[in-house]
Amino acid sequence: MVGNWKMNGNLRENAELLAKVVAGWQGEHSAEVVICPPFPYLMHANSVLSGSTILLGAQTVSEHDSGAYTGEVSGSMLADLDCKFVIIGHNERRRMRSETDEQVAHQFAAVQRAGLIPILCVGESLQDREQGRHLETISRQLSAVFAYTGKAVFKHAVLAYEPVWAVGTGKTATPEQAEEVHRFMRAQLEELASEVRILYGGSVKAHNAQQLFALPDIDGALLGGASLDADEFLAICKAAD
Ligand code: 13P
């Protein structure tokens, strides 16, 4: 379960949210939980989460390792702050920051060079979906990374399917729609098909999580809005457990 806080929170709210989540997630669990706060709060979140089983992740990364890249954050900086995962290729960045498939491939490699695990997001627009081109889009987004890194490195990666039209809209993909894409993504991984975790993201809430987790090719969820509410987030994590 990955909570992507996006650009939300402040020190006071984060402290409260993290304390509730840590308190509600004591002991042993089969589900792995990751929280991805905005960059300025990683250090604080790291200190609150230390001693818990909840892992830390970041929301994006530079494709470069160091140098004159004002405003950018490198994989090694994230590793320094105990991040274990980095979300890359999120549709909000592909659309609003014009990140290309090639840039995403370079970011994927940068995350792995830093010893971290990329969570590679792919997903089609509403137009692609309506025109029946969703699998074509997913295939293009995945192929750009495969072409740059090869497939073997996906052994140390997580994939996430986030249909753009389902993110933050309250509209979830139907189980059939989600399962079709997840099965397709798994098939693209060939020999690694059974080893790579594929998450679903897009308006996952406590009331629809169970139904999605019951699908054979869905291994977990990438949560936006639901990760900002401790009770909702914990209910979903427990459903996954
Ligand atoms: P919502 O859960 O708010 O739809 O966001 C999903 C998402 O974009 C997670 O990365």
Side-chain angles (χ1 to χ4, degrees):
M1 297 300 112
V2 180
N4 173 13
W5 285 3
K6 308 192 180 181
M7 199 174 72
N8 291 293
N10 57 45
L11 269 183
R12 189 187 49 76
E13 287 172 7
N14 298 354
E16 221 171 279
L17 175 57
L18 288 169
K20 279 193 199 161
V21 172
V22 168
W25 197 249
Q26 300 287 324
E28 294 287 306
H29 296 278
S30 56
E32 196 171 19
V33 176
V34 181
I35 291 182
C36 304
F39 287 144
Y41 302 121
L42 285 173
M43 197 148 167
H44 171 250
N46 185 33
S47 74
V48 179
L49 295 177
S50 70
S52 82
T53 58
I54 300 171
L55 300 170
L56 193 63
Q59 298 176 15
T60 184
V61 71
S62 169
E63 64 261 48
H64 305 289
D65 293 338
S66 66
Y69 301 102
T70 302
E72 296 291 295
V73 171
S74 71
S76 63
M77 293 174 183
L78 299 176
D80 239 0
L81 293 175
D82 278 347
C83 283
K84 299 283 182 276
F85 294 86
V86 185
I87 297 171
I88 55 165
H90 193 280
N91 76 77
E92 284 152 15
R93 296 199 60 83
R94 290 181 190 264
R95 289 180 302 120
M96 296 172 195
R97 304 309 295 256
S98 307
E99 286 184 358
T100 63
D101 292 337
E102 288 65 34
Q103 262 172 314
V104 172
H106 289 227
Q107 288 169 304
F108 183 102
V111 172
Q112 290 196 330
R113 277 199 301 280
L116 308 180
I117 300 178
I119 300 172
L120 170 63
C121 301
V122 297
E124 81 284 2
S125 65
L126 182 60
Q127 196 184 27
D128 288 342
R129 167 65 61 179
E130 285 175 348
Q131 294 175 354
R133 290 192 283 108
H134 51 290
L135 297 182
E136 209 179 292
T137 301
I138 307 292
S139 170
R140 192 202 72 227
Q141 291 170 337
L142 287 178
S143 302
V145 187
F146 293 152
Y148 187 66
T149 66
K151 287 189 183 177
V153 297
F154 275 72
K155 198 173 169 64
H156 305 289
V158 174
L159 292 180
Y161 169 52
E162 292 205 319
V164 177
W165 48 270
V167 170
T169 57
K171 213 170 165 185
T172 323
T174 64
E176 294 71 30
Q177 287 172 325
E179 178 58 22
E180 181 200 25
V181 177
H182 279 241
R183 198 181 322 114
F184 176 79
M185 289 168 69
R186 207 174 283 291
Q188 307 294 302
L189 293 162
E190 298 174 337
E191 305 93 83
L192 290 177
S194 61
E195 293 186 49
V196 179
R197 286 175 290 183
I198 309 182
L199 314 180
Y200 170 81
S203 300
V204 178
K205 305 284 179 212
H207 72 85
N208 57 22
Q210 199 79 67
Q211 191 185 26
L212 290 161
F213 298 158
L215 297 168
D217 287 300
I218 294 189
D219 302 312
L222 181 50
L223 307 157
S227 70
L228 299 172
D229 178 319
D231 295 333
E232 185 87 21
F233 185 61
L234 285 165
I236 298 170
C237 293
K238 284 172 187 163
D241 227 15

